[in-house]
Amino acid sequence: MLFSLEEVVGDLHAPVLGSVVLASATSWAMLRLLLGNDPLFQVPQYQLVHPGELGIYAVLGVAGGFVSVAFTKLLLWMRARFLRFPRKTVWFQPVAGGLTVGVMGWFVPQLLGVGYKHVGEALNGNMALKVMILLLVLKFFAVVTSYASGNAGGIFGPSLFLGAMLGGIVGNVANHFLPNYVGTPGAYALVGMGTAFAGIVRAPMTSVVMIFEITRDYAVIVPLMISNLVSFFISSRFQKQPIYEVLAHQDGIHLPAAETRQQGGQRQVVHAMRDATEVLSADMTVQEALEKSKSSAFHAWPIGDGRGVIGVISLQTLQRANSDGAADRRLSEFVDAGHFPHVHPDHPLHAALDRMGASRLDLLPVVSRANVHQLEGVVTLQDVLALYGVGAEAIRVDQS
């Protein structure tokens, strides 16, 4: 429940609290009914040996933060590259990723699957240092390659695996140099799970509650919060956007922010938008678009292809391209399908005006939050002004 509100919804006071609680409680009840009340991991009792040990947990937070940043940036970069490949290669991309992971798993079988069995071994101090280092490095690249290429899998479980291995490594090194001042490597593996989760998923409160639910021990919370805070700070400092938010944007899904929900009472784009009656084909040339613009009342038009809307182009851009000798170029060459000016129906009108000013367009496509290429209408500068009663048509009516 906390994860849904903290990361997915992004607002701990969201109006969907009741629905999230109901769904979470129902899921938990069914799980206990079918599988019993056994914990996911069997974890030994945690114990803080020396107050100075908290400094080592801070070091674990630093390591977890940088591993989280590297994991997030590499995964997002590689996935963006896969998404830019031609659509005809979509079927082959998971094959390439699966082949890569399969070859790695042939030599190191511990990489395959979620790996909770090996996490349990790290938590109980039953795994050698060299094995944990090997699994950390190989699992890092295996997960990135598998997820980015479109294979089935997630980020939740791998973040716990990577954190357990990283924590176990730090715990083993600390025990080697300071055997009388630090706890068991398993304790560091436990805190490492929360540290990596907080850095990668960017849900520090969920991480604290999750580890507490695993251990049922309050003593682990203090070192966990220290390590989480350091990891979260480093991760947010070097990777501004959370991983799930960027992944959603790459898929054309734009979830509303807390500010958008708080502005529900304001005038929104949906009140000013109109049907998209004029959409230019991405295969149309500049010269053909200019010919069609002569019978249009607009000065900018959405551009669409088989996926839906992929951009917007202005009359000024068409005229400039024509004068530069690019009359035979296709409109698809003038837009970036991944990033183009647009608004959503629940955006406030001032957001539409801001984006019109930034893009120097007097028309913007209105798209769905679930699919950025799904065109729901258009909004023009004249429509916005008319809604406020200051448009040309409104003035003429008032004068008459």
Side-chain angles (χ1 to χ4, degrees):
M1 179 194 70
L2 186 60
F3 171 76
S4 299
L5 295 176
E6 185 178 24
E7 172 57 27
V8 180
V9 180
D11 184 3
L12 295 180
H13 304 284
V16 298
L17 175 62
S19 302
V20 175
V21 170
L22 179 61
S24 178
T26 304
S27 175
W28 180 87
M30 290 301 300
L31 179 69
R32 293 298 180 267
L33 178 65
L34 298 175
L35 298 181
N37 197 31
D38 296 329
L40 182 61
F41 302 109
Q42 297 292 339
V43 183
Q45 191 72 18
Y46 172 80
Q47 183 178 2
L48 184 68
V49 177
H50 188 275
E53 194 177 1
L54 296 177
I56 303 178
Y57 284 109
V59 173
L60 174 58
V62 173
F66 283 110
V67 169
S68 300
V69 171
F71 177 87
T72 303
K73 285 187 174 295
L74 181 59
L75 188 149
L76 295 177
W77 174 82
M78 187 176 294
R79 191 167 188 265
R81 292 296 297 267
F82 272 107
L83 292 174
R84 283 199 292 267
F85 287 150
R87 297 184 66 186
K88 61 183 179 182
T89 66
V90 170
W91 69 272
F92 180 74
Q93 294 175 15
V95 176
L99 181 62
T100 303
V101 176
V103 171
M104 297 170 67
W106 178 270
F107 296 99
V108 186
Q110 295 92 329
L111 290 178
L112 303 178
V114 181
Y116 284 159
K117 174 185 176 182
H118 309 298
V119 171
E121 293 176 356
L123 293 176
N124 289 276
N126 298 326
M127 186 172 289
L129 176 61
K130 292 183 179 179
V131 175
M132 287 189 289
I133 295 175
L134 179 65
L135 290 181
L136 174 65
V137 175
L138 294 184
K139 189 74 169 182
F140 181 98
F141 290 103
V143 172
V144 168
T145 304
S146 177
Y147 194 99
S149 62
N151 282 285
I155 298 173
F156 201 107
S159 67
L160 299 182
F161 185 98
L162 294 174
M165 297 304 127
L166 178 64
I169 294 170
V170 173
N172 272 278
V173 173
N175 268 273
H176 178 75
F177 291 101
L178 301 169
N180 298 323
Y181 295 92
V182 298
T184 62
Y188 286 87
L190 179 65
V191 174
M193 290 171 62
T195 302
F197 186 87
I200 295 174
V201 182
R202 303 276 275 276
M205 290 302 299
T206 300
S207 173
V208 172
V209 174
M210 177 179 63
I211 300 301
F212 169 70
E213 287 183 333
I214 292 176
T215 61
R216 307 290 200 273
D217 187 356
Y218 278 108
V220 75
I221 290 183
V222 174
L224 180 61
M225 287 192 298
I226 293 174
S227 187
N228 277 11
L229 178 63
V230 175
S231 176
F232 180 81
F233 173 79
I234 292 176
S235 177
S236 58
R237 174 67 176 81
F238 293 98
Q239 172 62 36
K240 301 297 183 182
Q241 292 181 295
I243 187 170
Y244 282 122
E245 180 178 332
V246 181
L247 290 173
H249 284 188
Q250 288 181 346
D251 290 334
I253 301 172
H254 293 192
L255 297 175
E259 294 79 5
T260 302
R261 291 190 295 271
Q262 294 169 359
Q263 295 166 346
Q266 299 182 7
R267 294 181 177 180
Q268 297 177 326
V269 170
V270 67
H271 301 136
M273 61 184 282
R274 64 170 73 185
D275 292 337
T277 57
E278 299 182 22
V279 179
L280 302 181
S281 171
D283 294 328
M284 185 179 292
T285 65
V286 171
Q287 184 175 2
E288 292 172 342
L290 284 173
E291 288 295 328
K292 191 171 183 178
S293 68
K294 295 178 180 179
S295 59
S296 175
F298 302 120
H299 298 93
W301 303 269
I303 300 175
D305 62 5
R307 292 170 291 178
V309 61
I310 60 170
V312 57
I313 194 166
S314 66
L315 177 60
Q316 184 180 6
T317 301
L318 292 174
Q319 292 173 338
R320 187 186 310 116
N322 186 57
S323 62
D324 291 341
D328 294 330
R329 292 178 60 185
R330 300 187 183 278
L331 298 186
S332 58
E333 302 179 37
F334 293 87
V335 297
D336 181 1
H339 301 86
F340 61 90
H342 65 271
V343 289
H344 299 292
D346 61 346
H347 268 144
L349 285 179
H350 68 77
L353 291 174
D354 289 341
R355 296 190 181 187
M356 287 180 184
S359 58
R360 298 185 178 275
L361 296 167
D362 62 355
L363 178 147
L364 291 177
V366 183
V367 299
S368 168
R369 283 196 177 275
N371 182 2
V372 74
H373 299 298
Q374 181 180 333
L375 184 63
E376 298 191 353
V378 296
V379 61
T380 68
L381 177 61
Q382 292 76 15
D383 294 332
V384 175
L385 296 178
L387 190 62
Y388 282 106
V390 295
E393 295 181 1
I395 293 175
R396 284 197 297 269
V397 172
D398 183 66
Q399 289 176 343
S400 63

